[in-house]
Amino acid sequence: MIADKQNDLRLFLPTSVKEMRLLEWDYVDVVLFSGDAYVDHPSFGAAVIGRTLQAMGLKVAIVPQPNWQDDLRDFKKFGKPRLFFGVSPGAMDSMVNHYTANRRRRSDDAYTPGGRHGARPDYPSIVYTKILKDLYPDVPVILGGIEASMRRNSHYDYWQDRLRPSILMDSPADILIYGMGEKTITEITRQLLEGENIRHITSVPQTVVRLPLACQPLPDANNIILNSFEECIKNPISQARNFKQIEIQSNRMDGAILWQPHGDLTIKVNPMFPPLSTDEIDSIYALPFTRLPHPRYRGKTIPAYEMIRHSVTMHRGCFGGCAFCTISAHQGKFISSRSKDSIVSEVRQIARMHDFKGYISDLGGPSANMYAMQGKKTEVCRQCLRPSCLHPKVCPNLNTDHSPLLDVYRSVDALPEVKKAFVGSGVRYDLSMHPTGNPQVDSANCRYNEQLIARHVSGRLKVAPEHTSDKVLDIMRKPSFDQFRRFNRLFDSVNNKNGLNQQLIPYFISSHPGCTETDMAELAVETKALNFRLEQVQDFTPTPMTLATEIFYTGIHPYTEEKIFRARTPEEKLAQRRYFFWYDSTYRAEITRSLLRLHRSDLLTALFPAKSKMRDTKKH
């Protein structure tokens, strides 16, 4: 029973010297520092890397959320590791974790016990690595995680409102791993075990290194020289052109090496590893995770863990290419799917947890219904430069058959321990509703939509139309709102057919590049007509290394170099956001004034018909 594991320190990676002694170790090979609490679960990156290194026969310790403001005892307690220090700032970029879209400090942190804030610094990628290099200058430091991954080249930092260099120019780490790092850390470790010096490990896929500018080659098919950091500061269009190259190469099956000069140094970004095979990804999920927070947190709740404790991730990667999303830049465009046996095995493991009541909270992934999907002809994918397989239209080479996913659902539903398996991850309805012309595939996809709605919705199904304006949706790389209308009708129809009273929960974004105040007013009218009072909404937050962020910073679209409108000031952002809440009397006066200023009395009448009629009566 997993319940028996809750208090056995020997089943976890040691977090203290006392725990190390319990394992009868006199030293450690690797010490990992994490900005998150230590949860020994495959959804937490530091645990995955730790277990991957452990599977190589190494002694691995982990220091979660070290104190960087005292005498640095957390950084010293294990002393020098035999091989290296690893640093992961956490599952989120620290600035997204710490600040709202209005740049206000958040009061909580989902990856910290009790949800308390202040357990990590801003930019732990920089802070932790500097401390380690000051204390142990001769020990290799390997940096990974989402923050490092998305800041591997020069990037716009919204919270400082400036262009920053590659994070390797601010962090003294010896090497940076971007993306999902199991294969990369394994290869680096193998070379270190063979006696290679960390400074000579410069060509491992999915790594970024600093080199003297003289090492930079002439450009060719395999080496792309980006505009220098200094040029990007002087000319934002140079940064936009860099982003186009970075996105194209990160989405290629066989990408080129990217080089970006920074003063007298150059940043070398090696291309990604091929996607994990099914056997490779299965082996990761077969590692001996306890699936539990470390016993040091006994009696405390870690909100991020509570969200995923009874969930299963079925695949990695996303080929949606949404303009505001970092998933493909980090996990890759190509899907790596687990086998059905691996997924069912994990469900059985969850069913043995002491608090399991028969409900799997999510059978999902970055997009819930991309499981087992790939190109029909690999050679076509190998030549492809599209950042999205779904936009502007679904790629004809994409296999959109949902039959393998239905097979997984059926197998999980058949387990006697499982009462219901829900889908909590977002669903791409433009994928499941896409007509292929193949009767078997179209029939399977139709069955998928009906089964999803009838059997796998926990009262509320999350989907992400994001906007109603075709112009804005095109910039977002999202489908027309007409597709959401179709799915909404299907959702209602299946509910009625099965006697269900479930809700469709659409997600929307305000202030996205290209979105004007009028676009938001029209969104309010459109969603009101569909009887939605929106709750899952957000103001666009520019995060490093997304298309939308590059447009926000530069004012141009990197692919067309066309100028794009951006809401940049807090006042412009608030003017857009309040349209989400047209039904709240708090915002009615401001919305009314805005629509009169925009000369859109038609929208005013649609939102507030009674009030508009009263105003017309008074005029006469």
Side-chain angles (χ1 to χ4, degrees):
M1 291 288 290
I2 288 185
D4 300 330
K5 300 179 181 180
Q6 288 181 304
N7 302 312
D8 191 343
L9 290 166
R10 294 168 301 177
L11 297 177
F12 294 80
L13 302 177
T15 66
S16 67
V17 173
K18 178 183 176 182
E19 293 167 38
M20 184 179 83
R21 300 291 182 218
L22 281 176
L23 297 169
E24 301 182 350
W25 297 356
D26 340 1
Y27 68 93
V28 291
D29 295 305
V30 176
V31 184
L32 302 176
F33 289 84
S34 172
D36 294 336
Y38 171 31
V39 180
D40 190 40
H41 187 284
S43 292
F44 290 75
V48 174
I49 296 301
R51 292 296 187 184
T52 298
L53 292 168
Q54 182 188 55
M56 297 180 71
L58 301 180
K59 295 179 172 68
V60 184
I62 185 167
V63 182
Q65 300 187 314
N67 190 331
W68 73 100
Q69 296 172 304
D70 61 1
D71 60 2
L72 306 181
R73 67 188 69 183
D74 283 342
F75 292 88
K76 301 172 185 175
K77 61 184 175 183
F78 287 108
K80 283 188 178 184
R82 185 169 70 95
L83 290 176
F84 62 85
F85 290 114
V87 172
S88 172
M92 295 174 66
D93 185 281
S94 64
M95 303 307 279
V96 178
N97 181 282
H98 284 171
Y99 299 95
T100 69
N102 290 325
R103 298 189 178 98
R104 292 185 182 140
R105 187 82 179 185
R106 297 186 192 275
S107 59
D108 58 1
D109 182 340
Y111 293 88
T112 299
R116 68 183 178 87
H117 69 93
R120 79 185 87 213
D122 290 352
Y123 309 108
S125 298
I126 298 169
V127 175
Y128 293 171
T129 53
K130 279 185 174 177
I131 290 171
L132 290 169
K133 275 299 184 183
D134 285 344
L135 292 173
Y136 307 102
D138 298 328
V139 179
V141 175
I142 300 174
L143 174 61
I146 192 76
E147 181 171 271
S149 184
M150 296 298 98
R151 295 172 181 264
R152 58 191 185 254
N153 287 102
S154 63
H155 57 278
Y156 173 67
D157 188 296
Y158 171 69
W159 297 273
Q160 294 189 347
D161 194 22
R162 71 180 178 96
L163 196 70
R164 290 185 64 126
S166 163
I167 201 164
L168 268 189
M169 298 304 294
D170 291 321
S171 162
D174 295 282
I175 192 167
L176 182 156
I177 294 174
Y178 71 91
M180 309 299 276
E182 299 95 344
K183 290 180 79 167
T184 315
I185 197 69
T186 299
E187 177 58 23
I188 293 171
T189 303
R190 183 190 66 76
Q191 293 193 30
L192 290 173
L193 286 169
E194 291 176 355
E196 187 64 87
N197 188 299
I198 190 72
R199 290 191 295 274
H200 300 153
I201 301 176
T202 62
S203 298
V204 175
Q206 270 178 245
T207 61
V208 186
V209 294
R210 282 182 309 271
L211 294 171
L213 190 60
C215 294
Q216 185 170 286
L218 293 173
D220 58 28
N222 296 314
N223 293 275
I224 294 174
I225 314 301
L226 300 174
N227 295 305
S228 71
F229 173 60
E230 293 75 17
E231 169 60 25
C232 290
I233 287 180
K234 286 190 292 186
N235 190 354
I237 198 170
S238 297
Q239 172 67 16
R241 289 170 177 165
N242 275 6
F243 174 80
K244 179 181 176 181
Q245 290 288 354
I246 293 166
E247 185 176 51
I248 287 173
Q249 296 306 318
S250 67
N251 282 321
R252 282 183 61 194
M253 196 168 276
D254 301 300
I257 299 170
L258 298 173
W259 304 78
Q260 186 179 22
H262 288 65
D264 58 358
L265 297 173
T266 188
I267 298 296
K268 180 188 182 187
V269 182
N270 292 298
M272 296 186 87
F273 268 109
L276 293 176
S277 68
T278 295
D279 286 345
E280 286 172 330
I281 195 169
D282 281 358
S283 70
I284 292 166
Y285 283 86
L287 293 170
F289 298 101
T290 63
R291 297 185 62 87
L292 296 166
H294 189 275
R296 66 191 285 159
Y297 308 123
R298 192 179 300 113
K300 296 179 181 177
T301 296
I302 300 171
Y305 170 68
E306 296 302 314
M307 291 177 63
I308 54 86
R309 66 189 303 159
H310 297 148
S311 70
V312 177
T313 299
M314 301 192 298
H315 60 279
R316 290 181 181 175
C318 180
F319 48 72
C322 297
F324 46 81
C325 182
T326 61
I327 291 172
S328 64
H330 186 70
Q331 294 193 13
K333 181 175 78 169
F334 300 100
I335 305 299
S336 294
S337 297
R338 298 168 63 184
S339 68
K340 181 177 71 173
D341 288 346
S342 172
I343 294 166
V344 170
S345 174
E346 186 175 0
V347 171
R348 287 196 171 111
Q349 193 178 4
I350 293 171
R352 293 194 294 273
M353 296 177 72
H354 73 283
D355 61 345
F356 183 67
K357 307 297 184 188
Y359 299 97
I360 299 296
S361 60
D362 186 21
L363 283 175
S367 288
N369 57 321
M370 290 185 182
Y371 177 76
M373 292 187 184
Q374 58 188 6
K376 299 169 190 173
K377 296 180 179 178
T378 303
E379 60 272 21
V380 174
C381 294
R382 199 170 292 282
Q383 300 301 318
C384 180
L385 300 181
R386 283 178 58 169
S388 170
C389 301
L390 301 181
H391 184 272
K393 293 182 179 179
V394 177
C395 175
N397 188 51
L398 179 65
N399 176 9
T400 64
D401 186 2
H402 286 64
S403 296
L405 187 51
L406 284 169
D407 188 30
V408 171
Y409 288 173
R410 280 191 294 268
S411 298
V412 172
D413 285 347
L415 295 175
E417 310 97 312
V418 176
K419 296 176 184 176
K420 280 277 189 180
F422 299 118
V423 175
S425 303
V427 171
R428 288 299 298 247
Y429 51 80
D430 53 332
L431 184 59
S432 63
M433 298 184 76
H434 170 64
T436 67
N438 181 317
Q440 288 78 26
V441 172
D442 289 344
S443 175
N445 294 356
C446 183
R447 290 197 307 276
Y448 169 80
N449 285 321
E450 293 198 3
Q451 181 172 328
L452 170 74
I453 297 166
R455 300 179 60 181
H456 300 288
V457 175
S458 178
R460 296 152 67 92
L461 178 64
K462 296 185 293 187
V463 294
E466 307 294 7
H467 215 286
T468 57
S469 162
D470 283 345
K471 170 189 59 124
V472 178
L473 288 166
D474 187 55
I475 295 171
M476 290 179 164
R477 295 180 180 153
K478 295 288 285 186
S480 169
F481 193 66
D482 285 340
Q483 290 209 30
F484 173 78
R485 290 192 186 93
R486 286 176 52 219
F487 188 75
N488 186 39
R489 290 193 294 270
L490 174 64
F491 187 83
D492 289 343
S493 172
V494 175
N495 273 318
N496 291 334
K497 178 181 173 182
N498 291 274
L500 300 171
N501 184 25
Q502 301 180 135
Q503 285 183 290
L504 191 61
I505 306 298
Y507 281 61
F508 289 93
I509 297 177
S510 61
S511 302
H512 191 278
C515 178
T516 65
E517 201 174 331
T518 300
D519 293 323
M520 287 303 298
E522 290 173 346
L523 181 151
V525 170
E526 290 263 18
T527 53
K528 179 188 177 184
L530 292 171
N531 296 315
F532 283 107
R533 292 200 171 194
L534 304 180
E535 52 183 80
Q536 296 292 340
V537 298
Q538 62 178 326
D539 194 17
F540 169 67
T541 303
T543 56
M545 207 170 160
T546 69
L547 173 66
T549 297
E550 298 300 327
I551 297 173
F552 181 87
Y553 170 62
T554 65
I556 63 169
H557 196 295
Y559 284 78
T560 64
E561 301 192 5
E562 165 195 6
K563 288 186 177 180
I564 304 291
F565 170 80
R566 302 152 297 155
R568 287 189 59 92
T569 68
E571 294 75 21
E572 288 174 320
K573 286 173 164 287
L574 177 60
Q576 292 202 19
R577 183 177 174 78
R578 59 184 166 226
Y579 280 102
F580 285 141
F581 310 107
W582 59 267
Y583 51 85
D584 187 334
S585 59
T586 307
Y587 300 103
R588 183 166 293 192
E590 285 296 331
I591 289 175
T592 299
R593 281 194 287 272
S594 294
L595 288 173
L596 291 173
R597 172 174 51 81
L598 294 169
H599 306 292
R600 292 304 301 267
S601 58
D602 58 323
L603 299 178
L604 183 60
T605 301
L607 284 179
F608 311 123
K611 189 168 183 178
S612 301
K613 287 176 184 176
M614 285 173 55
R615 185 182 303 105
D616 291 341
T617 302
K618 288 178 182 177
K619 283 182 182 178
H620 292 89

